[in-house]
């Protein structure tokens, strides 16, 4: 099993992403609102070294969505393919990131 984590910066695509995941029988995610560290530091006026990088941040897109999903190892690539079909390549800046970590125990999953 894997824990797949998606941090999506393109929050305007999030509703369509959820619908597309559901259409592909990909369910069982937990979603939280989140914000990146750089945006949080800017909001608190604690710029320090980040001040020189401020121009690189999309300040209109401060919030992100974080999705957690425990899934089988062989389903990970298919989920990533669905995500990128909606939001575009995660290799592009300010789109989001996805990663997995091993899960060695679960209870409460079907």
């Amino acid at each position: 099993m894997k824990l797949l984590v998606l941090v999506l910066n393109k929050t305007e695509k999030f509703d369509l992403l959820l619908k597309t995941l559901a259409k592909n029988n990909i369910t069982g995610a937990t979603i939280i609102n989140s914000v990146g560290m750089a945006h949080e530091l800017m909001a608190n006026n604690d710029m320090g070294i980040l001040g020189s990088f401020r121009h690189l941040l999309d300040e209109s897109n401060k919030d992100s969505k974080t999705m957690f999903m425990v899934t089988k190892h062989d389903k990970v690539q298919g989920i990533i393919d669905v995500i990128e079909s909606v939001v575009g390549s995660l290799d592009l800046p300010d789109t989001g990131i996805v990663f997995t970590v091993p899960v060695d125990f679960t209870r409460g999953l079907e």
Side-chain angles (χ1 to χ4, degrees), residues 51-83:
S52 60
F53 296 110
R54 184 177 198 150
H55 68 282
L56 298 175
L57 298 173
D58 179 3
E59 293 186 54
S60 67
N61 187 18
K62 296 178 184 174
D63 296 325
S64 54
K65 297 281 190 176
T66 301
M67 181 175 70
F68 302 90
M69 181 183 304
V70 176
T71 189
K72 293 181 179 176
H73 176 77
D74 62 348
K75 295 193 181 268
V76 169
Q77 189 57 54
I79 295 168
I80 294 169
D81 291 345
V82 170
I83 291 168

Side-chain angles (χ1 to χ4, degrees), residues 18-56:
L18 292 179
K19 291 174 186 173
T20 305
L21 288 167
K23 283 181 187 175
N24 284 275
N25 296 316
I26 302 168
T27 59
T30 297
I31 300 152
I32 60 171
N33 294 320
S34 53
V35 63
M37 182 177 173
H39 285 294
E40 189 67 17
L41 287 170
M42 284 182 5
N44 293 324
N45 294 320
D46 189 11
M47 294 302 294
I49 195 167
L50 290 175
S52 60
F53 296 110
R54 184 177 198 150
H55 68 282
L56 298 175

Side-chain angles (χ1 to χ4, degrees), residues 86-98:
V86 174
V87 305
S89 173
L90 293 169
D91 292 328
L92 296 174
D94 211 26
T95 301
I97 64 167
V98 66

Side-chain angles (χ1 to χ4, degrees), residues 1-4 69-71 101-106 109:
M1 299 291 279
K2 295 284 187 174
L3 173 64
L4 182 139
M69 181 183 304
V70 176
T71 189
V101 293
V103 174
D104 63 0
F105 176 81
T106 64
L109 292 177

